[in-house]
């Protein structure tokens, strides 16, 4: 809600403004057929890319990437033809430990200097229920490209009064193996699991012409 600070309405106090904006937001519809066909761009202010790996077989170590972008081409009448490209800046890895972040950016792990982008490109979409789909695609990490699947859920769509545009929301999950991409300085032991789970929460804004 940081955009609220940029909006002024004569004679309207902040509480009044909040109520006015609330009245402008309709409940989201989860019916994909209610959307028009077109292009959508990621709203970075309302997106999160996190990842987790097993640690010592005891817990899931969780961190995130802070910089990402994505584009989506969607026709609700033909969801199987949707096109998605998602790009994460590998140097934006963030664990809350600056020294460990530098370790993860090194050549043994993400090799962020030589391979600054982690990219997922959809190749086909397999609709599930009315709000879920399996997005088949290619994941490129550390210069290696492998087949990957993103399990997605469509949360719905509504009008964003702050942006003056339609907005849609999704979640996604990709599972990958470290060894498939040459990532990691440890052998496959119980010290660190070999499966990384990437979780995405994202809002897309209707592209402006």
């Amino acid at each position: 809600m940081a955009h609220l600070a940029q909006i002024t309405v004569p004679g309207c106090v902040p509480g009044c403004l909040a109520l006015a904006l609330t009245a402008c937001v309709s409940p989201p519809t989860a019916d994909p057929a209610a959307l028009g066909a077109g292009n959508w761009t990621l709203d970075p202010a309302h997106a999160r890319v996190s990842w987790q790996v097993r640690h010592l077989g005891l817990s899931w170590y969780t961190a995130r990437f802070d910089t990402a972008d994505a584009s989506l081409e969607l026709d609700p009448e033909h969801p199987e033809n949707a096109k998605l490209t998602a790009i994460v800046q590998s140097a934006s890895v963030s664990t809350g430990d600056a020294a460990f972040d530098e370790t993860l950016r090194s050549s043994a792990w993400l090799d962020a200097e030589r391979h600054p982008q982690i990219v997922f490109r959809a190749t086909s979409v397999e609709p599930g229920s009315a709000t879920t789909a399996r997005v088949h695609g290619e994941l490129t990490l550390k210069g290696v490209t492998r087949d990957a699947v993103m399990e997605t859920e469509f949360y719905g769509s509504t009008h964003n009064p702050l942006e003056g545009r339609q907005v849609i929301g999704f979640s996604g999950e990709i599972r990958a193996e470290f060894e498939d991409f040459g990532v990691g300085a440890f052998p496959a032991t119980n010290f660190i699991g070999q499966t990384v789970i990437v979780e995405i929460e994202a809002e897309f804004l209707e592209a402006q012409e």
Side-chain angles (χ1 to χ4, degrees), residues 124-199:
S124 65
V125 178
E126 179 186 348
S129 68
T131 58
T132 62
R134 304 189 81 206
V135 180
H136 299 266
E138 295 179 339
L139 178 63
T140 300
L141 170 60
K142 202 176 177 180
V144 178
T145 300
R146 305 288 188 193
D147 291 339
V149 175
M150 180 187 295
E151 301 284 352
T152 65
E153 180 180 358
F154 174 62
Y155 290 144
S157 173
T158 191
H159 179 77
N160 184 332
L162 296 175
E163 296 286 348
R165 288 184 277 170
Q166 198 73 8
V167 59
I168 55 179
F170 288 90
S171 70
E173 180 182 293
I174 300 174
R175 292 177 179 248
E177 302 297 312
F178 278 136
E179 60 185 5
D180 289 344
F181 297 92
V183 174
F186 303 109
T189 67
N190 286 333
F191 185 77
I192 183 170
Q194 285 298 297
T195 300
V196 58
I197 302 173
V198 181
E199 296 179 332

Side-chain angles (χ1 to χ4, degrees), residues 4 6 33 37 59 62-63 73 89 93 107 154 162 171 175 180 193 200:
L4 285 177
Q6 304 171 14
S59 65
T62 303
E73 183 178 329
Q89 300 301 320
V93 65
S107 59
F154 174 62
L162 296 175
S171 70
R175 292 177 179 248
D180 289 344
I200 301 134

Side-chain angles (χ1 to χ4, degrees), residues 1 3 25 28 40-49 68-72 84 153-163 165-172 200-206:
M1 298 298 286
H3 299 297
V25 179
W40 304 78
T41 58
L42 184 70
D43 178 1
H46 300 97
R48 175 181 60 82
V49 180
D69 194 11
S71 61
L72 174 66
L84 170 68
E153 180 180 358
F154 174 62
Y155 290 144
S157 173
T158 191
H159 179 77
N160 184 332
L162 296 175
E163 296 286 348
R165 288 184 277 170
Q166 198 73 8
V167 59
I168 55 179
F170 288 90
S171 70
I200 301 134
E201 295 287 333
E203 293 182 16
F204 286 78
L205 292 164
E206 190 172 22

